[in-house]
Amino acid sequence: MRELRNFIGGRFVDAGSRQSIESIEPATASPWAHVPDSDRTDVDAAVTSAKAAFPAWSALPAIERSQFLMKLADLIDANLDPLAEAESTDTGKPISLARFLDIPRSATNFRHFATAILHSASESHDFDGGGVPGGIPAIQYTLRRPRGVAGCISPWNLPLYLLTWKLAPALATGNTVVAKPSEVTPITAHMLAELASKAGLPPGVLNIVHGTGAKAGAAIVEHPDVPAITFTGSTAVGRWIGETCGRMLKRVSLELGGKNPFIVFDDADLEGPAGAIETAVRAGFSNQGQICLCGSRLLVHERIYDRVVPAIVERVRHLKPGDPRETATNFGAITSMAQLEKIETMVSTARQLGGRILCGGDRVPAESLPHRCRDGWFYQPTVIESLEPACKVEQEEIFGPVVTVQRFADEAEAIRLANGTGYGLAATIFTRDVGRAHRLSADIQSGIAWVNCWMVRDLRTPFGGVKQSGVGREGGLEALRFFTESKNVCIRT
Ligand code: NAD
């Protein structure tokens, strides 16, 4: 068993209560780590140390903060293998995914913001007095200052990737941080703290408090000395955090759930590795469908439905659930028992509502799994058709390897179906008609629209959702702005 500790004021410490939670390896359903079950007292200690570190860290020249973060990125690269192994064990994701996506992207997150702060500029306005009698000409410029202690709360599906997506801009812009990773997948956050310590990050600049959302997470959100909260997770928790931050007048950024449409028109390029068919499979089932951006609602033009849907189902049948540790595995375990049960409930509801299961629809039989994984949490990749668009299964986020399919007759119907849920994170559109690509990108209610591709991520672009998928944007300038407060200075000329 690994023994995790909180990282507060540059030291590794137990939770004050000495209580711990077990972290379970999804592929085997066996406990593999003890995680501190922290509470308000631990969060208080972390906030106190972050507050104490803030004046010196925020006063450092940007180039020096940048150098710390670049060093941390180098250490992540140097520890690619142990970090990828830990991420795969903790989440159940294939080791190849952790090695090629999660861990490299975590290093890139730090490099992106460590260099962004060396190139940022602020606005200036040369005011001519406004043309009114007695109008005063002035030069105005905008100062941007870090907010103080940033609270960063992250989920279990891409643990290090999403945690560092928050830490990097927060630290780069001069804030200090109290972070809480998901209690379900806490290991790589603990390893990151070890690397931060090796990188020589001054004590108190980064504090990591482990524990449940209800205790440790809520204590960060409600702490009066944490003026900014950035949260990625479920819509239900995001709503509570939004309400609390609203009441306390905190800055808040919420990246929440998705139920993303993946739309295939009859003129789309279908075949090949970048075609609609292969891309739909990747979009639906990468990380066992546990990515907020997954295209979980497939909308297919009626003229090609009978060709495209069987081709997708055929490829989905070739995804073979296996031991996440094996490099050949492309489909791993479901990260938690609660998540597995949620998937089962939703598929059973789909059956009751008359949905036709085209493939999957059940847990993976133990005998088809490697011996080590027979007690693990595995669900078959599943495709369902013939559901009413308004039903629960089409409306609620499942966050697992389940894709539903609808057919549409024309552009207007595709847009109506795409916009027909409470969510609005990402949409994918496959078409060769340029005008249609522009029209749909503009008309679909989402924070991101991908045309003829999926999950192409340029870290400079705004990232986030509309409607129930969130409030605020991460990425590039948006993140630099979120973690800084602007002040206008007006000097009479
Ligand atoms: P969750 O909301 O249960 O938990 C997320 C984090 O919040 C965890 O660290 C948890 O401990 C903490 N938390 C829970 N209750 C809290 C509270 N009352 N106060 C403070 N913190 C609390 O979500 P999850 O199950 O870990 O993650 C899956 C969800 O995340 C899905 O809905 C998925 O769509 C969403 N997600 C969104 C994005 C995005 O960028 N929009 C990215 C990844 C995941």
Side-chain angles (χ1 to χ4, degrees):
M1 290 285 276
R2 290 212 187 182
E3 300 295 330
L4 270 53
R5 302 174 91 195
N6 289 332
F7 183 59
I8 298 178
R11 294 172 48 239
F12 288 92
V13 293
D14 289 321
S17 66
R18 310 262 170 228
Q19 301 294 310
S20 64
I21 313 165
E22 275 186 346
S23 181
I24 299 182
E25 177 182 3
T28 60
S30 321
W32 82 297
H34 287 128
V35 189
D37 185 6
S38 311
D39 59 23
R40 215 160 277 272
T41 321
D42 306 294
V43 169
D44 279 347
V47 174
T48 302
S49 84
K51 257 182 95 174
F54 177 72
W57 178 250
S58 57
L60 274 189
I63 184 77
E64 291 184 30
R65 287 200 304 273
S66 174
Q67 282 160 349
F68 277 117
L69 300 185
M70 293 296 269
K71 199 161 173 192
L72 191 47
D74 290 345
L75 283 168
I76 293 174
D77 283 344
N79 287 276
L80 171 68
D81 285 338
L83 284 166
E85 279 157 25
E87 202 71 299
S88 166
T89 306
D90 218 13
T91 57
K93 73 176 66 203
I95 181 85
S96 54
L97 190 64
R99 200 172 270 145
F100 292 114
L101 177 73
D102 295 67
I103 309 305
R105 170 61 193 275
S106 304
T108 304
N109 286 341
F110 279 114
R111 289 200 180 96
H112 181 81
F113 289 105
T115 48
I117 53 167
L118 305 180
H119 302 274
S120 57
S122 70
E123 309 92 85
S124 138
H125 302 91
D126 185 359
F127 185 56
D128 61 7
V132 293
I136 296 173
I139 287 284
Q140 323 230 15
Y141 60 88
T142 308
L143 289 177
R144 292 204 163 267
R145 293 286 183 261
R147 295 189 186 280
V149 180
C152 301
I153 301 176
S154 51
W156 49 258
N157 61 325
L158 300 164
L160 194 63
Y161 171 131
L162 289 174
L163 177 67
T164 53
W165 182 230
K166 298 180 180 306
L167 299 186
L171 295 171
T173 48
N175 301 275
T176 54
V177 164
V178 175
K180 196 203 82 65
S182 169
E183 63 276 29
V184 180
T185 54
I187 309 287
T188 48
H190 178 78
M191 294 168 79
L192 182 74
E194 291 172 337
L195 298 180
S197 183
K198 257 195 200 159
L201 208 65
V205 168
L206 170 63
N207 304 274
I208 295 183
V209 181
H210 293 279
T212 64
K215 277 202 277 182
I220 296 173
V221 174
E222 292 175 329
H223 202 294
D225 292 335
V226 179
I229 299 289
T230 165
F231 169 82
T232 299
S234 61
T235 296
V237 173
R239 188 170 288 120
W240 177 80
I241 292 179
E243 283 166 8
T244 308
C245 290
R247 212 169 38 248
M248 297 180 79
L249 300 178
K250 294 187 178 203
R251 299 296 178 274
V252 64
S253 163
L254 303 170
E255 299 293 338
L256 311 177
K259 189 80 178 169
N260 309 301
F262 188 109
I263 309 170
V264 188
F265 280 91
D266 55 345
D267 64 349
D269 281 327
L270 299 176
E271 306 298 338
I277 291 171
E278 287 293 345
T279 310
V281 175
R282 272 197 311 117
F285 297 97
S286 292
N287 203 35
Q288 298 75 250
Q290 301 171 125
I291 302 180
C292 55
L293 303 167
C294 276
S296 55
R297 286 189 301 137
L298 186 57
L299 312 180
V300 183
H301 191 275
E302 60 186 13
R303 247 196 307 267
I304 54 168
Y305 190 96
D306 292 336
R307 178 176 156 210
V308 167
V309 175
I312 288 175
V313 169
E314 178 57 27
R315 281 167 179 78
V316 172
R317 285 188 207 278
H318 280 99
L319 294 171
K320 286 277 169 275
D323 190 340
R325 274 189 189 171
E326 299 297 331
T327 45
T329 298
N330 59 12
F331 192 89
I334 302 302
T335 303
S336 71
M337 185 53 149
Q339 194 56 32
L340 181 65
E341 286 172 353
K342 179 175 176 194
I343 295 164
E344 285 187 312
T345 307
M346 287 299 252
V347 174
S348 131
T349 305
R351 278 200 176 89
Q352 286 158 20
L353 293 172
R356 268 191 67 210
I357 313 283
L358 300 178
C359 63
D362 213 338
R363 288 195 194 199
V364 177
E367 57 280 9
S368 69
L369 289 164
H371 195 264
R372 189 182 93 83
C373 299
R374 294 207 166 161
D375 293 327
W377 303 324
F378 291 85
Y379 200 87
Q380 297 168 341
T382 299
V383 180
I384 309 175
E385 67 172 1
S386 305
L387 287 164
E388 279 300 314
C391 80
K392 181 181 166 83
V393 181
E394 289 280 6
Q395 291 292 319
E396 289 183 16
E397 184 184 44
I398 301 175
F399 214 55
V402 182
V403 166
T404 60
V405 202
Q406 296 285 340
R407 64 179 83 213
F408 65 87
D410 55 22
E411 219 173 284
E413 189 176 19
I415 294 174
R416 202 167 49 247
L417 286 168
N419 288 341
T421 76
Y423 292 103
L425 188 52
T428 301
I429 304 144
F430 265 78
T431 180
R432 269 189 280 176
D433 180 332
V434 177
R436 174 188 281 155
H438 287 294
R439 283 192 299 278
L440 265 86
S441 298
D443 289 349
I444 291 178
Q445 297 158 348
S446 65
I448 299 159
W450 280 300
V451 176
N452 298 329
C453 58
W454 176 73
M455 211 167 152
V456 175
R457 293 285 296 113
D458 174 337
L459 305 193
R460 295 168 300 178
T461 59
F463 179 90
V466 301
K467 303 198 286 187
Q468 309 283 301
S469 289
V471 174
R473 292 290 178 273
E474 296 187 322
L477 273 181
E478 303 274 350
L480 297 178
R481 292 212 160 131
F482 176 75
F483 287 109
T484 53
E485 191 78 70
S486 63
K487 176 194 272 188
N488 189 64
V489 179
C490 173
I491 299 182
R492 179 181 187 147
T493 52

